[in-house]
Short mmCIF file of all heavy atoms in Angstrom, two decimals:
data_model
loop_
_atom_site.label_atom_id
_atom_site.label_comp_id
_atom_site.label_asym_id
_atom_site.label_seq_id
_atom_site.Cartn_x
_atom_site.Cartn_y
_atom_site.Cartn_z
N MET A 206 106.93 159.74 28.52
CA MET A 206 106.63 160.63 29.66
C MET A 206 105.20 160.44 30.07
O MET A 206 104.81 160.44 31.27
CB MET A 206 106.90 162.11 29.21
CG MET A 206 106.74 163.11 30.31
SD MET A 206 108.06 162.72 31.50
CE MET A 206 107.74 163.97 32.70
N PHE A 207 104.32 160.34 29.09
CA PHE A 207 102.88 160.16 29.36
C PHE A 207 102.62 158.87 30.24
O PHE A 207 101.97 158.92 31.24
CB PHE A 207 102.00 160.10 28.06
CG PHE A 207 100.64 159.65 28.24
CD1 PHE A 207 99.69 160.56 28.68
CD2 PHE A 207 100.25 158.30 28.10
CE1 PHE A 207 98.36 160.15 28.87
CE2 PHE A 207 98.96 157.93 28.24
CZ PHE A 207 98.02 158.94 28.64
N THR A 208 103.31 157.84 29.89
CA THR A 208 103.15 156.57 30.60
C THR A 208 103.64 156.70 32.00
O THR A 208 102.99 156.22 32.93
CB THR A 208 103.91 155.38 29.85
OG1 THR A 208 103.44 155.39 28.50
CG2 THR A 208 103.65 154.10 30.47
N ILE A 209 104.77 157.34 32.27
CA ILE A 209 105.34 157.52 33.53
C ILE A 209 104.37 158.26 34.45
O ILE A 209 104.07 157.90 35.61
CB ILE A 209 106.66 158.21 33.52
CG1 ILE A 209 107.76 157.25 32.83
CG2 ILE A 209 107.19 158.58 34.90
CD1 ILE A 209 109.01 157.92 32.50
N VAL A 210 103.81 159.32 33.93
CA VAL A 210 102.89 160.18 34.64
C VAL A 210 101.61 159.38 35.02
O VAL A 210 101.02 159.46 36.06
CB VAL A 210 102.61 161.49 33.96
CG1 VAL A 210 101.44 162.26 34.62
CG2 VAL A 210 103.90 162.34 33.84
N LEU A 211 101.14 158.68 33.95
CA LEU A 211 99.94 157.84 34.20
C LEU A 211 100.10 156.82 35.24
O LEU A 211 99.26 156.66 36.17
CB LEU A 211 99.49 157.21 32.86
CG LEU A 211 98.25 156.25 32.95
CD1 LEU A 211 97.06 157.12 33.29
CD2 LEU A 211 98.07 155.51 31.64
N VAL A 212 101.25 156.11 35.22
CA VAL A 212 101.55 155.10 36.28
C VAL A 212 101.61 155.74 37.59
O VAL A 212 101.05 155.27 38.60
CB VAL A 212 102.83 154.33 35.92
CG1 VAL A 212 103.28 153.47 37.09
CG2 VAL A 212 102.63 153.52 34.66
N TRP A 213 102.33 156.92 37.72
CA TRP A 213 102.42 157.66 38.99
C TRP A 213 101.01 158.02 39.51
O TRP A 213 100.65 157.78 40.65
CB TRP A 213 103.29 158.87 38.81
CG TRP A 213 103.28 159.70 40.01
CD1 TRP A 213 102.74 160.87 40.25
CD2 TRP A 213 103.99 159.34 41.29
NE1 TRP A 213 102.96 161.28 41.50
CE2 TRP A 213 103.73 160.47 42.18
CE3 TRP A 213 104.77 158.31 41.74
CZ2 TRP A 213 104.24 160.47 43.45
CZ3 TRP A 213 105.23 158.29 42.97
CH2 TRP A 213 104.97 159.34 43.88
N ASP A 214 100.13 158.52 38.63
CA ASP A 214 98.83 158.93 39.04
C ASP A 214 97.99 157.69 39.52
O ASP A 214 97.26 157.80 40.47
CB ASP A 214 98.11 159.64 37.89
CG ASP A 214 98.68 161.06 37.65
OD1 ASP A 214 99.43 161.54 38.55
OD2 ASP A 214 98.37 161.60 36.56
N VAL A 215 98.09 156.61 38.83
CA VAL A 215 97.42 155.43 39.24
C VAL A 215 97.85 154.89 40.59
O VAL A 215 97.10 154.55 41.45
CB VAL A 215 97.51 154.26 38.16
CG1 VAL A 215 97.04 152.98 38.69
CG2 VAL A 215 96.79 154.68 36.91
N ILE A 216 99.13 154.94 40.85
CA ILE A 216 99.72 154.51 42.14
C ILE A 216 99.19 155.44 43.26
O ILE A 216 98.73 154.98 44.30
CB ILE A 216 101.23 154.58 42.11
CG1 ILE A 216 101.78 153.44 41.21
CG2 ILE A 216 101.86 154.45 43.54
CD1 ILE A 216 103.21 153.43 40.97
N ILE A 217 99.18 156.74 43.00
CA ILE A 217 98.68 157.69 43.99
C ILE A 217 97.21 157.45 44.26
O ILE A 217 96.75 157.46 45.38
CB ILE A 217 98.90 159.10 43.63
CG1 ILE A 217 100.44 159.44 43.55
CG2 ILE A 217 98.23 160.16 44.49
CD1 ILE A 217 101.21 159.27 44.77
N ALA A 218 96.41 157.23 43.21
CA ALA A 218 94.98 157.05 43.38
C ALA A 218 94.72 155.84 44.20
O ALA A 218 93.79 155.77 45.09
CB ALA A 218 94.32 156.94 41.98
N VAL A 219 95.48 154.73 43.93
CA VAL A 219 95.23 153.48 44.66
C VAL A 219 95.69 153.63 46.13
O VAL A 219 94.97 153.19 47.04
CB VAL A 219 96.08 152.30 44.00
CG1 VAL A 219 96.09 151.10 44.99
CG2 VAL A 219 95.47 151.99 42.69
N ALA A 220 96.80 154.38 46.35
CA ALA A 220 97.24 154.57 47.71
C ALA A 220 96.31 155.45 48.50
O ALA A 220 96.03 155.16 49.63
CB ALA A 220 98.60 155.25 47.72
N LEU A 221 95.74 156.49 47.94
CA LEU A 221 94.82 157.38 48.62
C LEU A 221 93.41 156.81 48.66
O LEU A 221 92.59 157.27 49.41
CB LEU A 221 94.79 158.77 47.90
CG LEU A 221 96.05 159.49 48.01
CD1 LEU A 221 95.93 160.89 47.31
CD2 LEU A 221 96.50 159.71 49.48
N GLY A 222 93.10 155.78 47.96
CA GLY A 222 91.83 155.13 47.97
C GLY A 222 91.60 154.16 49.16
O GLY A 222 90.51 153.77 49.41
N SER A 223 92.69 153.85 49.83
CA SER A 223 92.56 152.93 50.97
C SER A 223 91.92 153.62 52.18
O SER A 223 92.04 154.89 52.34
CB SER A 223 93.88 152.35 51.40
OG SER A 223 94.69 153.36 52.00
N ARG A 224 91.28 152.89 52.98
CA ARG A 224 90.55 153.42 54.15
C ARG A 224 91.55 154.09 55.14
O ARG A 224 91.25 155.11 55.73
CB ARG A 224 89.72 152.33 54.93
CG ARG A 224 88.59 151.91 54.07
CD ARG A 224 87.75 150.95 54.90
NE ARG A 224 86.76 150.29 54.11
CZ ARG A 224 85.52 150.81 53.92
NH1 ARG A 224 85.16 152.01 54.42
NH2 ARG A 224 84.62 150.17 53.10
N ARG A 225 92.73 153.42 55.31
CA ARG A 225 93.69 153.94 56.23
C ARG A 225 94.20 155.35 55.73
O ARG A 225 94.36 156.29 56.53
CB ARG A 225 94.86 153.05 56.32
CG ARG A 225 95.91 153.46 57.42
CD ARG A 225 97.12 152.59 57.49
NE ARG A 225 96.84 151.18 57.30
CZ ARG A 225 97.83 150.33 57.05
NH1 ARG A 225 99.13 150.73 57.02
NH2 ARG A 225 97.58 149.08 56.90
N ALA A 226 94.41 155.47 54.40
CA ALA A 226 94.93 156.72 53.90
C ALA A 226 93.89 157.81 53.97
O ALA A 226 94.21 158.99 54.37
CB ALA A 226 95.33 156.60 52.45
N LEU A 227 92.63 157.43 53.79
CA LEU A 227 91.52 158.44 53.91
C LEU A 227 91.37 158.86 55.31
O LEU A 227 91.03 160.05 55.57
CB LEU A 227 90.20 157.85 53.39
CG LEU A 227 90.19 157.62 51.90
CD1 LEU A 227 88.87 156.89 51.46
CD2 LEU A 227 90.25 158.89 51.11
N ALA A 228 91.58 158.00 56.30
CA ALA A 228 91.51 158.40 57.73
C ALA A 228 92.65 159.33 58.04
O ALA A 228 92.39 160.32 58.73
CB ALA A 228 91.59 157.19 58.60
N ARG A 229 93.82 159.11 57.55
CA ARG A 229 94.94 160.02 57.81
C ARG A 229 94.66 161.40 57.18
O ARG A 229 94.98 162.43 57.74
CB ARG A 229 96.23 159.49 57.24
CG ARG A 229 96.94 158.52 58.10
CD ARG A 229 98.33 158.20 57.68
NE ARG A 229 98.70 156.93 58.28
CZ ARG A 229 99.47 156.14 57.70
NH1 ARG A 229 99.95 156.33 56.47
NH2 ARG A 229 99.82 154.96 58.26
N LEU A 230 94.20 161.33 55.90
CA LEU A 230 93.86 162.62 55.21
C LEU A 230 92.90 163.40 55.98
O LEU A 230 92.94 164.62 56.00
CB LEU A 230 93.42 162.32 53.85
CG LEU A 230 94.54 162.02 52.82
CD1 LEU A 230 93.90 161.66 51.42
CD2 LEU A 230 95.42 163.23 52.62
N ALA A 231 91.86 162.75 56.57
CA ALA A 231 90.85 163.46 57.29
C ALA A 231 91.41 164.30 58.47
O ALA A 231 90.94 165.34 58.82
CB ALA A 231 89.78 162.47 57.75
N ARG A 232 92.49 163.69 59.04
CA ARG A 232 93.15 164.41 60.18
C ARG A 232 94.03 165.56 59.65
O ARG A 232 94.24 166.53 60.30
CB ARG A 232 93.95 163.46 61.00
CG ARG A 232 93.13 162.47 61.80
CD ARG A 232 94.02 161.73 62.72
NE ARG A 232 95.18 161.21 62.01
CZ ARG A 232 95.62 160.00 62.10
NH1 ARG A 232 95.05 159.09 62.84
NH2 ARG A 232 96.70 159.60 61.47
N VAL A 233 94.67 165.36 58.51
CA VAL A 233 95.71 166.28 58.00
C VAL A 233 95.11 167.44 57.25
O VAL A 233 95.66 168.53 57.24
CB VAL A 233 96.72 165.47 57.15
CG1 VAL A 233 97.74 166.46 56.53
CG2 VAL A 233 97.46 164.51 58.01
N VAL A 234 94.00 167.22 56.59
CA VAL A 234 93.46 168.24 55.66
C VAL A 234 93.14 169.57 56.38
O VAL A 234 93.47 170.65 55.78
CB VAL A 234 92.18 167.68 54.89
CG1 VAL A 234 91.46 168.85 54.26
CG2 VAL A 234 92.65 166.70 53.85
N PRO A 235 92.58 169.58 57.58
CA PRO A 235 92.37 170.90 58.15
C PRO A 235 93.68 171.70 58.36
O PRO A 235 93.69 172.92 58.12
CB PRO A 235 91.72 170.58 59.47
CG PRO A 235 91.07 169.25 59.25
CD PRO A 235 91.99 168.54 58.31
N TRP A 236 94.69 171.03 58.75
CA TRP A 236 96.02 171.70 58.91
C TRP A 236 96.53 172.14 57.64
O TRP A 236 97.14 173.29 57.50
CB TRP A 236 97.00 170.80 59.67
CG TRP A 236 96.66 170.61 61.11
CD1 TRP A 236 96.05 169.57 61.66
CD2 TRP A 236 96.85 171.59 62.12
NE1 TRP A 236 95.89 169.73 63.03
CE2 TRP A 236 96.42 171.03 63.30
CE3 TRP A 236 97.43 172.87 62.15
CZ2 TRP A 236 96.39 171.67 64.48
CZ3 TRP A 236 97.45 173.49 63.39
CH2 TRP A 236 96.98 172.90 64.57
N LEU A 237 96.42 171.30 56.60
CA LEU A 237 96.94 171.73 55.23
C LEU A 237 96.22 172.95 54.78
O LEU A 237 96.82 173.83 54.18
CB LEU A 237 96.86 170.59 54.29
CG LEU A 237 97.77 169.46 54.46
CD1 LEU A 237 97.45 168.31 53.43
CD2 LEU A 237 99.20 169.89 54.31
N THR A 238 94.95 173.06 54.98
CA THR A 238 94.18 174.15 54.50
C THR A 238 94.55 175.47 55.25
O THR A 238 94.61 176.53 54.68
CB THR A 238 92.62 173.97 54.59
OG1 THR A 238 92.31 173.61 55.84
CG2 THR A 238 92.27 172.85 53.65
N LYS A 239 94.82 175.36 56.53
CA LYS A 239 95.23 176.48 57.30
C LYS A 239 96.63 176.95 56.83
O LYS A 239 96.86 178.18 56.76
CB LYS A 239 95.26 176.16 58.78
CG LYS A 239 93.84 175.99 59.36
CD LYS A 239 93.87 175.62 60.78
CE LYS A 239 92.51 175.31 61.29
NZ LYS A 239 92.44 174.86 62.61
N ILE A 240 97.51 176.03 56.63
CA ILE A 240 98.84 176.38 56.18
C ILE A 240 98.82 177.07 54.79
O ILE A 240 99.46 178.06 54.55
CB ILE A 240 99.78 175.22 56.20
CG1 ILE A 240 100.04 174.66 57.60
CG2 ILE A 240 101.12 175.39 55.43
CD1 ILE A 240 100.76 173.33 57.71
N ALA A 241 98.05 176.44 53.86
CA ALA A 241 97.90 177.04 52.56
C ALA A 241 97.28 178.41 52.60
O ALA A 241 97.72 179.31 51.89
CB ALA A 241 97.06 176.06 51.68
N GLY A 242 96.26 178.61 53.43
CA GLY A 242 95.65 179.89 53.59
C GLY A 242 96.62 180.97 54.15
O GLY A 242 96.69 182.09 53.68
N GLY A 243 97.40 180.50 55.13
CA GLY A 243 98.45 181.45 55.65
C GLY A 243 99.47 181.85 54.61
O GLY A 243 99.83 182.93 54.46
N PHE A 244 99.93 180.83 53.84
CA PHE A 244 100.82 181.08 52.76
C PHE A 244 100.23 182.07 51.75
O PHE A 244 100.90 183.01 51.30
CB PHE A 244 101.25 179.83 52.10
CG PHE A 244 102.07 180.09 50.87
CD1 PHE A 244 103.46 180.39 51.04
CD2 PHE A 244 101.58 179.98 49.60
CE1 PHE A 244 104.30 180.54 49.91
CE2 PHE A 244 102.39 180.17 48.47
CZ PHE A 244 103.78 180.51 48.69
N LEU A 245 98.99 181.90 51.37
CA LEU A 245 98.35 182.79 50.37
C LEU A 245 98.17 184.15 50.99
O LEU A 245 98.33 185.20 50.19
CB LEU A 245 96.99 182.21 49.95
CG LEU A 245 97.04 181.00 49.09
CD1 LEU A 245 95.59 180.51 48.86
CD2 LEU A 245 97.68 181.31 47.75
N ILE A 246 97.92 184.32 52.22
CA ILE A 246 97.90 185.69 52.87
C ILE A 246 99.18 186.36 52.74
O ILE A 246 99.32 187.57 52.46
CB ILE A 246 97.32 185.61 54.27
CG1 ILE A 246 95.79 185.19 54.25
CG2 ILE A 246 97.52 186.84 55.06
CD1 ILE A 246 95.22 184.81 55.58
N LEU A 247 100.19 185.65 53.15
CA LEU A 247 101.56 186.21 53.10
C LEU A 247 101.99 186.59 51.74
O LEU A 247 102.61 187.62 51.52
CB LEU A 247 102.54 185.25 53.75
CG LEU A 247 102.48 185.04 55.23
CD1 LEU A 247 103.44 183.97 55.69
CD2 LEU A 247 102.73 186.36 56.00
N PHE A 248 101.63 185.73 50.80
CA PHE A 248 101.98 186.04 49.41
C PHE A 248 101.21 187.29 48.88
O PHE A 248 101.84 188.10 48.23
CB PHE A 248 101.61 184.77 48.53
CG PHE A 248 102.02 184.89 47.07
CD1 PHE A 248 103.36 184.94 46.71
CD2 PHE A 248 101.06 185.09 46.12
CE1 PHE A 248 103.67 185.07 45.35
CE2 PHE A 248 101.43 185.23 44.78
CZ PHE A 248 102.75 185.15 44.39
N GLY A 249 99.94 187.38 49.28
CA GLY A 249 99.18 188.59 48.92
C GLY A 249 99.75 189.85 49.51
O GLY A 249 99.89 190.87 48.82
N ILE A 250 100.21 189.79 50.78
CA ILE A 250 100.81 190.99 51.39
C ILE A 250 102.07 191.34 50.73
O ILE A 250 102.35 192.49 50.48
CB ILE A 250 101.00 190.70 52.90
CG1 ILE A 250 99.61 190.63 53.65
CG2 ILE A 250 101.89 191.73 53.58
CD1 ILE A 250 99.66 190.09 55.05
N ALA A 251 102.86 190.34 50.34
CA ALA A 251 104.11 190.57 49.66
C ALA A 251 103.92 191.20 48.30
O ALA A 251 104.62 192.15 47.88
CB ALA A 251 104.95 189.27 49.51
N LEU A 252 102.88 190.79 47.58
CA LEU A 252 102.50 191.45 46.35
C LEU A 252 102.09 192.88 46.50
O LEU A 252 102.49 193.74 45.70
CB LEU A 252 101.43 190.58 45.59
CG LEU A 252 101.82 189.33 44.94
CD1 LEU A 252 100.57 188.55 44.43
CD2 LEU A 252 102.80 189.59 43.83
N ILE A 253 101.28 193.10 47.46
CA ILE A 253 100.85 194.50 47.73
C ILE A 253 102.04 195.33 48.04
O ILE A 253 102.15 196.54 47.53
CB ILE A 253 99.77 194.52 48.83
CG1 ILE A 253 98.50 193.87 48.35
CG2 ILE A 253 99.50 195.94 49.32
CD1 ILE A 253 97.45 193.63 49.44
N VAL A 254 102.90 194.88 48.93
CA VAL A 254 104.13 195.68 49.24
C VAL A 254 105.01 195.94 48.06
O VAL A 254 105.50 197.05 47.88
CB VAL A 254 104.93 194.93 50.39
CG1 VAL A 254 106.27 195.50 50.60
CG2 VAL A 254 104.11 194.93 51.66
N ALA A 255 105.11 194.93 47.24
CA ALA A 255 105.91 195.08 45.99
C ALA A 255 105.36 196.08 45.04
O ALA A 255 106.05 196.85 44.43
CB ALA A 255 106.10 193.74 45.32
N VAL A 256 104.01 196.10 44.95
CA VAL A 256 103.41 197.05 44.06
C VAL A 256 103.44 198.49 44.63
O VAL A 256 103.62 199.45 43.83
CB VAL A 256 101.91 196.65 43.77
CG1 VAL A 256 101.12 197.75 43.05
CG2 VAL A 256 101.88 195.36 42.97
N VAL A 257 103.28 198.64 45.90
CA VAL A 257 103.30 199.96 46.50
C VAL A 257 104.68 200.60 46.46
O VAL A 257 104.77 201.84 46.28
CB VAL A 257 102.79 199.88 48.00
CG1 VAL A 257 102.98 201.16 48.72
CG2 VAL A 257 101.32 199.48 47.95
N GLN A 258 105.73 199.82 46.55
CA GLN A 258 107.07 200.40 46.55
C GLN A 258 107.37 200.88 45.22
O GLN A 258 107.55 200.96 44.26
CB GLN A 258 108.08 199.36 47.02
CG GLN A 258 108.02 199.16 48.46
CD GLN A 258 109.01 198.14 48.99
OE1 GLN A 258 109.70 197.48 48.17
NE2 GLN A 258 109.24 198.03 50.25
#
């Protein structure tokens, strides 16, 4: 299992290390952070509602 995860991580690191991938990530990261922030806000509201009920 360790070897499989290590190989996967190396493949991802090599793929994300390319200039083309970094350029794509630069365009996508702002949207990903907004989506993640929205999800966290909704999750927080759901937790508050669950505790209040």
Side-chain angles (χ1 to χ4, degrees):
M206 187 66 180
F207 171 79
T208 306
I209 293 170
V210 172
L211 178 63
V212 169
W213 174 253
D214 288 344
V215 169
I216 290 171
I217 295 300
V219 169
L221 293 180
S223 70
R224 292 186 190 271
R225 186 185 321 167
L227 291 175
R229 275 192 202 146
L230 280 175
R232 290 188 313 228
V233 174
V234 166
W236 287 102
L237 287 177
T238 55
K239 289 177 185 175
I240 291 169
F244 175 77
L245 288 174
I246 289 170
L247 290 175
F248 185 69
I250 291 171
L252 282 174
I253 292 170
V254 168
V256 169
V257 170
Q258 288 182 348

